[in-house]
Amino acid sequence: MKKAIERDKYPGHGDNRRDVEKVTVKIKGMTCAACAGRIERNLNKLKGVEKANVNLAMGKAVIEYQSADVDVKDFIKKIRDTGYDVVLDRTELDIIGMDCASCAIRVEKALSKLEGVEKAGVNFAMKRAVVEYFADRISIRDMIDTVRKAGYDAEEKKEEGYDREKEERNKEIEDLKRFFILSAVLSLPLVAAMFSGMLGIPVEILHNPWFQLVMATPVQFLVGYRFYKGAYHALKGGGANMDVLVAMGTTAAYFYSVYNAFIAGDVVNLYFETSAVLITLILLGKYLEAVAKGRTSEAIKKLLGLQAKTARVVRNGEEVDIPVEEVTAGDVVIVRPGEKIPVDGVITEGYSSVDESMLTGESIPVEKKSGDRVIGATINKTGTFKFEATKVGRDTVLAQIVKMVEEAQGSKAPIQELADRISGVFVPVVILIALGTLSIWWLAIGNLNAGIINAVAVLVIACPCAMGLATPTSVMVGTGKGAENGILIKGGEHLQNTHKINALVLDKTGTITKGSPELTDVIAVGRYNEDEILKYAATTEKGSEHPLGEAIVTAAKERGIELADPEKFDAIPGHGVKAVIEGQEVLLGNRKLMKEENIRIDAVENIMQRLEEEGKTSMLMAVDRDMAGVIAVADTIKENSAKAIRQLKDMGIEIYMITGDNKRTAEAIAKQVGIERVLAEVLPEHKAEEVQKLAEQGRITGMVGDGINDAPALAAADVGLAIGTGTDVAIEAADITLMSGDLMGIVLAVRLSRATMRNIRQNLFWAFIYNSVGIPFAALGFLSPIIAGGAMAFSSVSVVTNALRLKRLRLVR
């Protein structure tokens, strides 16, 4: 199963398509998988929509589209036409400098034109703008800048601790709780009547049909209004959902009881308690489900809570404290010991150690000096320093992580496709089964009472809520758990695929090793001494960004060797470098370079062999076509590399090491960490081919790397894992980013994937078993509607609760 290189990772790579944009839309009113499926299908029908994913657990749609053909307003209209509503982000801005109503109109127009703003209203009397917008399309900072360009000023009206999403969720929970209590109080006398009748101790008032009608009617039409409303919108949108089943079942029980009591005169066969208790139990299930679902998104809240609230910047020569949202790129920011770093930047003055554990999981603080990069939301430990802000707002590492986790939580795992297909036809099939149950009991057996009650039981037991929640809740909790442990997973697909990996390819430099080699040996074999050889080598590598070259230059400087610039320089990828220094031609590289230049290396072959057996990378130097010496550099192995590789092998995963180093050196490093399969002397452009060869052999491949040259291989693997301390290109090409740079992150990612998939399978099993066993039992008369309602209500709760168990998963062993 070979993964094609994704186009959005390499824009323009053989692709004439227009840029695809992405937006996340919050949806209100979904109750089951059928709702999510219908919205998803309708969105995907829109011209210009590349892909739409609707997540029931999060109540969100993630839509990829081409803005030339369709825009966000079209999505809102389509969702509302389908029978649901859209929840927009909302903010209030205090507008400064307005003098009249025309000023308000001008500001309103300016805000309304912004991409991502759905609605803007400005109140001149209150000097305030209320804006409804999409947070992933536009920031409050953009709105304030727009107001300023219009000739006024603006400040966000802040409510300390205000969280709109949390407020919406709490409001939903309170509404469900209030209606559940009302429904339970009204249903209790009806339940008492049922039990008193079963025990042969009738209580006249409880069995009075008028009394039962008075108790049941508010439950049916006041408390149950949400189901009628949902059913209406679902049918209007061209489908059927859980609300349709509940409304049909409870209405049938209610009106059959009315008919028996007041038309047929049959006061024995009353089922008011059935409809009332069903609604009560379903509300209880919805309430518990809402409480549990609120806990699935805690990872995002934790990440957002890490951000600093204020920043100390230098403005007009003075230090001032400002909200972190007002920091702009280029600002000089001052951070004192114990403070959070507000935004990303580069240190310009000072020295300190920084706790980056919130991003990497590494508990040891990292030493920072002038020129080093610092990341917003990390904690300054010891010294005071100044840094220049380089990334602010939505561009910071933390903001990108939050966005990545949100997108991952909103994505679908392939395993969900089966549940989606079943959900799409489930409700109509259940209605047919219920009608068939009614017909057989009434027409074939001659028992209308049993027919209606058993049909109601079928309708209620079959609600597909649990089926729709089974996968997304586990993906949400799993990706959140990953983020807490420094494992950033880009989507449910990658979370699922990771558990299948049976062949893992590890890049050597910067992945298995630290990637910061040191000079170990300088051996002269000609007319030049060691210092002269080192001088030539360091001068040749002076402008190099390669780790081996940097090690040589650093060693020369430490020995006090003065370096000039080479008169001529030419890099030969995969071979070495050629330079002219003080009129002499210098060649520095591997055996391939010397062979191509027809330079004999017999005199140094034994030296090379010995160095390589010690795990050192050796380079040959020739001056004016004569062999001059050998330079060796060693890259130390990361602390946990051997431990991680051992644990991965214990999981049944084949480990391969890939490197451009010669075979002897590569095998020496591989031996130290316990790797038997070595792919050596692989040129950067051939790494992807090696990964594809493994895929063609039927292996599910994972590739781990950190450099720009690893990007094609990361994209070619079924799962690409980037070391977070590596290059941005590698991170962009990968499916999973390991923030710590420690190979134990791979072990944790595989464990997390396996645990999440196990959890999803458990959820799907229980979701299917409820319906597979429940429907036949209900149709045959072995399941009363009340028991069916209780089982249906708690099926959703059990699925969400099981997914939450992932939060307690111990990844480190």
Side-chain angles (χ1 to χ4, degrees), residues 281 460-461 466 770 774 783 785-798:
L281 287 173
V460 174
I461 191 68
Y770 273 118
L783 204 61
I786 291 175
I787 295 174
M792 187 282 292
F794 285 96
S795 65
S796 301
V797 178
S798 65

Side-chain angles (χ1 to χ4, degrees), residues 137 141 201 267 374 493 504 508 554 630 656 721 735-736:
R137 306 290 295 165
R141 180 78 199 180
I201 313 171
V267 295
V374 289
E493 174 191 354
L504 190 68
K508 178 180 79 71
T554 300
V630 182
Y656 296 78
L721 300 101
D735 305 309
I736 297 175

Side-chain angles (χ1 to χ4, degrees), residues 22 55 58 62 402-413 472 475-476 479-480 488-495:
K22 184 184 287 187
N55 187 307
M58 291 186 71
V62 179
V402 170
K403 184 180 179 184
M404 189 185 295
V405 175
E406 283 182 332
E407 289 182 355
Q409 291 187 337
S411 67
K412 282 191 178 182
V475 169
M476 283 175 68
T479 51
L488 303 182
I489 303 165
K490 288 187 178 177
E493 174 191 354
H494 314 307
L495 180 64

Side-chain angles (χ1 to χ4, degrees), residues 6 13 82 110 171 210 221 361 420 449 586 630 674 762 772 800:
E6 294 178 24
H13 185 77
T82 308
K171 184 177 181 298
W210 286 103
F221 299 108
D420 286 348
N449 286 333
V586 177
V630 182
Q762 290 166 355
S772 302
V800 177

Side-chain angles (χ1 to χ4, degrees), residues 711-734:
L714 288 167
D718 293 309
V719 181
L721 300 101
I723 300 298
T725 52
T727 63
D728 289 343
V729 174
I731 291 170
E732 182 63 27

